[in-house]
Amino acid sequence: MRKIKVAQIGTSLNGHGTVIWKSLIKQTDVFEVVGYAFPEGEREKFPSQIKYFDGYREMTVEEILSDPEIEAVAVETEEIHLTKYALLAAKAGKHVHMEKPGGTDLAEFEELIAAMKKSGKVFSAGYMYRFNPKIMEAMARIERGELGKIYAVEAHMDCLHQPELKSWLSTFPGGMLFYLGCHLIDLIYRIQGEPEKVIPLSCSTGFDGVKSEDYGMAVFKYQNGVSFAKTSACEPGGFLRRQLVICGEKGTIEIKPLEVIPKGKGTLLYTVSSECFSADWHKPWESSKTAVFDRYDAMMQNFAEMVNGKQNPYTYDYELNLYKLILKACGKEF
């Protein structure tokens, strides 16, 4: 696979900017990293993040976008600015990888997708669970019909965050559901499609005096069942209770924990999955565990492959409709 000249726009305190950058500079067989830019005063706002970019060329956004040799751009700014810079990159004719889910302006996101369609370039969104081995395996089994008709998807993604981060969630509609619950909504939408009804249920726990919606939840009503996404910023032990349960007429798959970080392994992970395809109530579920993997390396490897011609299974329209569904789940009307 030929090398792709790439640059990164932005980083943030609560996003994946530094780990995406580390993945890009690590994968020297597929990426040639040209440089990076820190818009929106990021150098001053996030001094703890800057050290990871040392030794590489700092550029302006304009320099990155006007360089014809830079084919691809990773947009990793704060969430509120994501669509703005992804749109600039799209209009400049670049392939775009963008942190999830985008800014909060639907019209701007629609303009982004229209620009990507016009250019025909790759648009990749940073939904990390798309590259979880057990989730990929479950999706393949669903597509083969092994679970039969799916009637429910139950998805949890919980954390125990500091008060500062919980307060920051007020930046977004739906708070925690917009910030992390978007990963879960992506899975539900991928498995079941457009729901008949969306019921937003996010609220504030009030813990630590925080008023943001730090408990995010939404229910999705389908013709033959009900699914939900739930994410909390207040749950001790929540990381290891992250789970995806897929219920079908022929079987059930539970992936829990979605991710485990082996001690001392940083961003490396493994996943545990159990399944039941038996009518015997007393038969134990079958369980298995993945090898250790890096979700960011898989994500950026996939981006490189798509730039080099691999078909993107997530179409422009899928990404736009997913974004609209996230906004609905967060209680935003349009």
Side-chain angles (χ1 to χ4, degrees):
M1 185 164 61
R2 68 178 181 83
K3 285 190 179 183
I4 298 156
K5 288 192 175 183
V6 64
Q8 180 164 314
I9 296 176
T11 189
S12 69
L13 190 61
N14 301 316
H16 295 153
T18 56
V19 289
I20 292 297
W21 175 256
K22 289 178 184 178
S23 184
L24 290 174
I25 63 176
K26 182 201 311 182
Q27 298 193 64
T28 55
D29 55 332
V30 292
F31 292 111
E32 180 182 338
V33 177
V34 179
Y36 62 90
F38 290 142
E40 306 295 337
E42 291 172 357
R43 178 171 286 279
E44 292 72 36
K45 285 192 290 187
F46 311 124
S48 63
Q49 309 293 300
I50 306 307
K51 61 186 177 183
Y52 299 105
F53 298 83
D54 288 347
Y56 290 84
R57 179 187 173 194
E58 183 168 1
M59 308 171 71
T60 66
V61 171
E62 292 72 21
E63 286 174 329
I64 289 173
L65 299 183
S66 63
D67 188 336
E69 293 191 354
I70 296 176
E71 295 179 71
V73 175
V75 179
E76 295 291 331
T77 64
E78 291 179 279
E79 278 84 351
I80 199 72
H81 303 302
L82 286 171
T83 310
K84 171 184 174 180
Y85 288 98
L87 177 57
L88 290 173
K91 288 182 174 179
K94 309 297 186 185
H95 299 283
V96 177
H97 172 80
M98 184 189 76
E99 170 69 304
K100 55 74 195 167
T104 58
D105 187 322
L106 174 57
E108 190 175 44
F109 198 93
E110 288 175 328
E111 188 179 359
L112 166 62
I113 295 301
M116 295 304 314
K117 285 183 176 181
K118 183 176 180 180
S119 72
K121 302 294 185 179
V122 171
F123 179 67
S124 166
Y127 292 99
M128 60 198 182
Y129 289 143
R130 294 177 180 179
F131 304 95
N132 177 297
K134 283 297 183 182
I135 290 178
M136 294 171 70
E137 180 182 305
M139 293 297 184
R141 298 185 73 169
I142 292 168
E143 289 170 4
R144 291 195 297 266
E146 293 180 24
L147 275 72
K149 192 167 185 63
I150 306 301
Y151 64 89
V153 177
E154 303 169 4
H156 290 256
M157 187 178 181
D158 305 306
C159 300
L160 181 59
H161 284 313
Q162 295 300 310
E164 293 79 10
L165 191 148
K166 290 191 288 184
S167 294
W168 169 79
L169 292 172
S170 63
T171 307
F172 315 114
M176 192 64 171
L177 194 66
F178 186 91
Y179 174 47
L180 291 187
C182 60
H183 289 293
L184 309 179
I185 297 169
D186 175 48
L187 298 176
I188 293 169
Y189 183 53
R190 168 79 185 273
I191 294 169
Q192 293 186 286
E194 193 72 27
E196 294 181 344
K197 187 176 182 180
V198 179
I199 305 172
L201 293 170
S202 295
C203 62
S204 174
T205 63
F207 298 156
D208 301 311
V210 173
K211 303 302 181 185
S212 66
E213 292 179 306
D214 54 356
Y215 185 98
M217 188 166 181
V219 171
F220 304 88
K221 177 70 174 68
Y222 289 90
Q223 184 177 6
N224 63 326
V226 173
S227 297
F228 69 81
K230 175 255 178 180
T231 180
S232 169
C234 307
E235 186 173 317
F239 183 81
L240 292 182
R241 204 174 73 79
R242 294 183 178 188
Q243 61 184 292
L244 178 69
V245 182
I246 307 166
C247 302
E249 59 183 327
K250 296 179 182 178
T252 302
I253 294 176
E254 178 187 49
I255 304 172
K256 176 188 176 184
L258 286 176
E259 299 171 331
V260 181
I261 303 175
K263 188 173 182 179
K265 293 294 186 180
T267 60
L268 296 178
L269 309 153
Y270 67 85
T271 296
V272 179
S273 177
S274 301
E275 60 185 47
C276 181
F277 287 81
S278 172
D280 183 350
W281 288 19
H282 304 284
K283 185 178 180 180
W285 288 35
E286 295 184 8
S287 298
S288 60
K289 184 173 76 174
T290 69
V292 173
F293 64 95
D294 187 313
R295 63 193 184 194
Y296 304 108
D297 285 354
M299 181 186 294
M300 301 319 291
Q301 175 79 20
N302 181 71
F303 180 51
E305 290 172 355
M306 291 192 298
V307 171
N308 276 313
K310 174 185 171 182
Q311 185 175 358
N312 187 350
Y314 297 92
T315 66
Y316 302 125
D317 287 336
Y318 176 95
E319 300 290 11
L320 176 57
N321 292 332
L322 169 62
Y323 180 76
K324 289 179 178 180
L325 184 58
I326 291 166
L327 292 182
K328 288 178 184 177
C330 291
K332 194 166 183 178
E333 297 181 359
F334 49 88

